Amino acid sequence: MPQNNKLSRRQDSLWSRLLESNPQLFREIQGKLKTRNVVIAAAIAVLTQFVSVILLLGQLPDIDVKYLQCGRYGMTLVYKEYGDRLCYSQNDAGSWLINWQLWWLDLFLILSFISIFTLLIVGTYMLVADLVKESERGTLNFIRLTPQSASSILLGKILGVPVLLYAAISLLFPLHLVAGLQAHIPLSLLLAFDLTVIASCAFFYSLALLWSFVDWKISGLKPWVAIVCLGLMLAPTTAVLLNRYSRLDHLVASVLLFHPGFGLTYLVDAASSPFGTASFITLDNLAQLSFYGQPLWTKTASGMGFCFLNFSLWTYWCWALLKRRFHNPERTFLSKAHSYWLTGWLTIVALGFTLQQDFIPRHVYEVLPDNSQHIAHNFLLLQLCLNLFGLGLIYALSPHRQAIHDWMRYRHQTSPKNSLWYELVLGENSPSTIAIALNLAIAILFIAPSIFLILEPSQYYLFGGLLLSATNILLYAVVAQFVLMNKSSSRTIWSIAVLTSLIVLPPLGLGILERTIHILPQAWLFTFFPTVSAQYASPGAIAFAAFAQWLAISAIGIQMTRQLKLAGASETKALMSRVDTLAK
């Protein structure tokens, strides 16, 4: 008895230490792990396994039927009228010969996809809905005031909110592991795949928390928007993984690396069966997907390692933003220094997927026209992604009116040794225009050399389109910052409305007037994506469009500078008048 008491005391001590290390986790577990909830989660997990096994058993041959039966798990190839088919045969003892390896592999894949979709979609919904509820109740601000660190609170949310989901998935794990081993998948690959799924959950859950902190008036729609966006990403990539579309030699195929089921390709390849195969993309398909011309995904170690590294790096960036915004929701999502590193990293990665095939300079051998055209299409996609990323930078870096006014008022007191240019490039609450311009310059410096080294001279219009896209984004940034400096309480909505108008109205108006890109390419140079029209415009027209955009940027920038000086001067006058009043 004394030994049992000591053991229970040690267990209580370890448990109490664990809970004291993360009180937020204890709060979430205490609220979620009710007996009724645990029983429901366990019942759903058991029912899911039961239905999966029954469905697969239903495809096996009928024991009572003596004539020839065909099916997926047969081991005899029989010629039929419409082609060869796998059929079931019997041994000398009268037992049906069944490809149990393929049967277990199918069960393993079914449980894997069920686990992936449940963890990502249901877990994302639970996290966003919980944060929205906390924010509406006002308890989120109370949590912010606790002495816990942002990392501790957010980790407690990620581990605690979906705790019932984790319990249900853990009940699926034994059958999932047995099915994988029975399918002749090495244990090391099974563990590597599970580790990749955990890394993907860490990324998507961190992204869900980040989305929860976005200012949005209709907060009740946040969970549904999150799962709709996640579903739109998972559905087409799942179709590609199931070999419904196997062409991967384009930039968009890099989205596959954000699907945790990507690692199943290597597990299916390791469990190759002499009779029948799983409907999945092969390593030959993955050979089309290259990074700077190197097929990194044809080998299991490098492919799964790169996938895990991809999730880990994105999780790092999400946590950098989360820790920045959690205790101070008024701060911008990104600091200017972080934005430069993020832009450089993303540009390098995106450019690597743009150059999808091995290329040798033109002076070595003649590049095939269709090969060059394929890369040109990838560059178009790259520039479109750059434009969308630029819009994201505008939102992430642009401070609001009060922050800019505080920066103008106290800049000389808080950082008297820093020059104005230093503040504009690295300052916390300074206007974002210069920082966005530097981010765009970083992207152009990375991308431009590859255009001239790889593409044909007839495709150099892509460089002109790249410059016009950058000036477009810079113009949008100046306009958005100018609107955010207004006194209106709805300035965020106004800035979104103005940018949406600048993006949508020009092509809409040209379309209504039936002025297509071929008829009037000069006008289309002022749209959101001018690269396509740059193909039909002269160099003079491209230069004029860039000059006009810079004039607009300069005019709005000058007006914004005047407003800042006026705001600083008015604040100083108000303070001086108060001092004079007190002195009298």
Side-chain angles (χ1 to χ4, degrees), residues 204-221:
F204 284 108
Y205 289 173
S206 302
L207 193 62
L209 293 180
L210 194 61
W211 167 243
S212 303
F213 294 141
V214 173
D215 296 329
W216 202 19
K217 299 294 183 182
I218 314 176
S219 58
L221 291 178

Side-chain angles (χ1 to χ4, degrees), residues 227-471:
I227 62 174
V228 166
C229 294
L230 186 57
L232 290 175
M233 191 277 288
L234 290 177
T237 49
T238 301
V240 173
L241 289 175
L242 294 177
N243 212 9
R244 297 295 183 267
Y245 179 75
S246 58
R247 182 175 176 180
L248 305 177
D249 54 341
H250 48 81
L251 178 62
V252 181
S254 60
V255 182
L256 276 177
L257 295 179
F258 290 95
H259 196 306
F262 180 82
L264 289 172
T265 308
Y266 305 102
L267 277 65
V268 171
D269 180 73
S272 56
S273 172
F275 300 97
T277 57
S279 179
F280 225 76
I281 60 172
T282 64
L283 296 186
D284 292 334
N285 299 132
L286 292 183
Q288 302 175 38
L289 184 63
S290 61
F291 188 72
Y292 286 103
Q294 302 300 316
L296 301 179
W297 290 272
T298 55
K299 295 182 179 179
T300 302
S302 59
M304 296 195 72
F306 198 99
C307 191
F308 180 81
L309 179 63
N310 178 60
F311 283 125
S312 301
L313 288 174
W314 276 104
T315 304
Y316 165 79
W317 283 110
C318 287
W319 275 83
L321 303 184
L322 284 169
K323 290 189 288 186
R324 176 178 173 81
R325 286 274 293 190
F326 183 75
H327 286 299
N328 188 359
E330 299 300 323
R331 299 177 76 179
T332 57
F333 268 97
L334 267 177
S335 68
K336 293 181 174 63
H338 273 145
S339 70
Y340 305 139
W341 287 104
L342 180 61
T343 300
W345 173 60
L346 279 179
T347 306
I348 291 173
V349 173
L351 184 60
F353 287 109
T354 302
L355 310 177
Q356 279 291 315
Q357 300 176 11
D358 292 320
F359 274 89
I360 301 176
R362 288 193 303 274
H363 65 274
V364 177
Y365 80 105
E366 184 178 358
V367 179
L368 296 177
D370 56 340
N371 212 17
S372 180
Q373 190 64 31
H374 168 74
I375 297 297
H377 290 160
N378 274 345
F379 270 103
L380 286 174
L381 288 173
L382 175 63
Q383 292 189 22
L384 179 60
C385 293
L386 178 62
N387 288 0
L388 296 175
F389 177 67
L391 294 178
L393 282 179
I394 294 173
Y395 179 80
L397 290 175
S398 300
H400 286 226
R401 173 185 173 84
Q402 189 58 49
I404 293 180
H405 282 204
D406 291 341
W407 172 74
M408 282 292 296
R409 193 185 314 167
Y410 303 115
R411 182 174 67 86
H412 296 290
Q413 300 177 14
T414 56
S415 53
K417 297 181 180 180
N418 296 337
S419 65
L420 177 61
W421 278 105
Y422 179 89
E423 287 292 318
L424 292 174
V425 172
L426 295 172
E428 185 62 38
N429 293 318
S430 60
S432 61
T433 309
I434 299 299
I436 291 175
L438 285 176
N439 278 286
L440 294 172
I442 291 171
I444 291 173
L445 287 175
F446 274 119
I447 297 172
S450 58
I451 294 177
F452 295 108
L453 291 174
I454 292 174
L455 299 179
E456 296 291 334
S458 60
Q459 296 166 335
Y460 287 170
Y461 69 89
L462 289 168
F463 178 71
L466 180 64
L467 292 180
L468 287 178
S469 296
T471 52

Side-chain angles (χ1 to χ4, degrees), residues 574-584:
L575 289 173
M576 293 302 294
S577 63
R578 291 177 185 174
V579 171
D580 293 340
T581 303
L582 291 174
K584 292 179 181 180

Side-chain angles (χ1 to χ4, degrees), residues 31-44:
K32 302 292 189 301
L33 286 184
K34 305 295 185 182
T35 304
R36 176 174 173 272
N37 297 338
V38 173
V39 171
I40 292 174
I44 292 174

Side-chain angles (χ1 to χ4, degrees), residues 142-164:
F142 175 77
I143 294 174
R144 286 191 175 106
L145 297 177
T146 60
Q148 300 180 70
S149 64
S151 300
S152 175
I153 294 172
L154 295 174
L155 185 62
K157 284 288 183 184
I158 290 177
L159 296 178
V161 172
V163 64
L164 290 172

